[in-house]
Amino acid sequence: MVNVHTPDVAALDGLRGAAIAGVLMFHTGNLAGGFLGVDLFFALSGYLITGLLLREVRSTGGVSLRSFWVRRIRRLLPALALVLGCVSVLVWALLPDDLVRSTFADGPWVLANLINWHLLADSAGYWDRFGAARVFEHLWSIAVEEQFYLAWPVVVLLIARRGRHADGWVAVVALLLSGVSATLMAVLVDPADPSRVYTGTDTRAFSLLLGAFVATAPVRSWLGRVMAGRWAEAGGLLVVAGIGTIWVLADGASSAWLFTGGLLAHSLASAALIGLCGCRPSSVIARILAVWPLRWLGQLSYSLYLWHWPVILFLSPQRTGLGGWAWTVLVCVVSAVLATLSKYLVEDPIRFRAGWARGRRGVLAVVASAATLLLLWTALPAPPAPAIDVTELG
């Protein structure tokens, strides 16, 4: 199958590539603000999903929730199930007991798309987690997106049932809800540990909702008029410069300003950049983002995100004896190879060509996959929890 890219899609693939590159650089210790690539992913997801939903509303007058959710499962579950199964077995065989216990405990929550809330309930702070504590911890962001995919189509459907002007009402609701979400982040943040507001769905929804806002027809029309002016190119470059500056200045939990408006500003800038690429695919910024290396990274971004953190743990500097850029290159190459194999041998065949992945057989395949993973986490003998010497207490 030939993968044809229109200019705007190519630029959005490039944005995905920039986002995953930032995350890789963050987790390998080379870019303190690279975690903001997740925020860019959120805005992109909100934009793309809302665009799909609104196109369906315009053509049919409603939204088929069943069809939407089935497409999401077919797109996301195969690669996720592959990673969960392979990584669980390798952790059990190769890694320390504490990682085996946390992996088996976390796996079902990943499968249920609730891992972010599970980690918060387990008092697993985000900013101190990335030592070698949990192999599936990075999947909190996938859970946030999946929860959005569950709720937002229902909202769009309810708006569509009101009749005319669905795009306008979706824009209003998205903007209002994003304001509520950003306010919750500012109100609920604990400066000592902002994990609750950073990984909570309610306090991160504004990133997805601002992407959704930009996907609506009134906003796209307005952006098209603004971007047609003489200063459009300069404005695009200014937005990119602003995003780059935040990525350089941000330093995780020590940047308290992120949680009282900084992340909101970054999401606004990200949504504006996405809108620019969609409205002006011939702009300088869109053409730069459409270059092949960024596009290639973007096309691998989902599997690359799934694999990269387990690879970092398995190929840690302690295990490989490498450090610095040599270790970074090793991690990135191995992650890219695994992501490529996943995309072309598992994701794309199931998504585009596998007849058995549709209809009743598709439902059975989902149930069988989930049952197999649950059986795996139950059947593999987990090491016992370390004994506590009560004589040392008191």
Side-chain angles (χ1 to χ4, degrees), residues 265-318:
H266 182 269
S267 295
L268 282 167
S270 298
L273 181 57
I274 293 164
L276 167 63
C277 292
C279 295
R280 289 284 305 279
S282 61
S283 66
V284 172
I285 293 300
R287 292 202 305 270
I288 291 172
L289 288 168
V291 297
W292 178 82
L294 279 178
R295 236 174 47 228
W296 174 76
L297 271 180
Q299 292 162 15
L300 289 180
S301 59
Y302 176 57
S303 281
L304 196 50
Y305 188 84
L306 294 180
W307 281 108
H308 83 280
W309 181 246
V311 169
I312 285 173
L313 294 186
F314 282 112
L315 301 180
S316 65
Q318 295 76 18

Side-chain angles (χ1 to χ4, degrees), residues 74 346 348-358 361:
R74 192 164 61 240
V346 177
D348 285 356
I350 292 177
R351 184 182 180 190
F352 297 119
R353 297 188 291 277
W356 56 263
R358 291 168 171 78
R361 287 183 297 173

Side-chain angles (χ1 to χ4, degrees), residues 98 101-107 109 114-126 128-129 133-134 137 193 195-196 199:
D98 59 338
R101 285 190 293 269
S102 66
T103 299
F104 289 5
D106 293 348
W109 294 99
L114 293 170
I115 185 64
N116 61 324
W117 295 111
H118 167 67
L119 292 172
L120 288 171
D122 208 26
S123 299
Y126 177 84
D128 59 10
R129 280 207 316 268
R134 288 179 134 103
E137 56 201 342
D193 181 10
S195 299
R196 162 63 183 87
T199 61

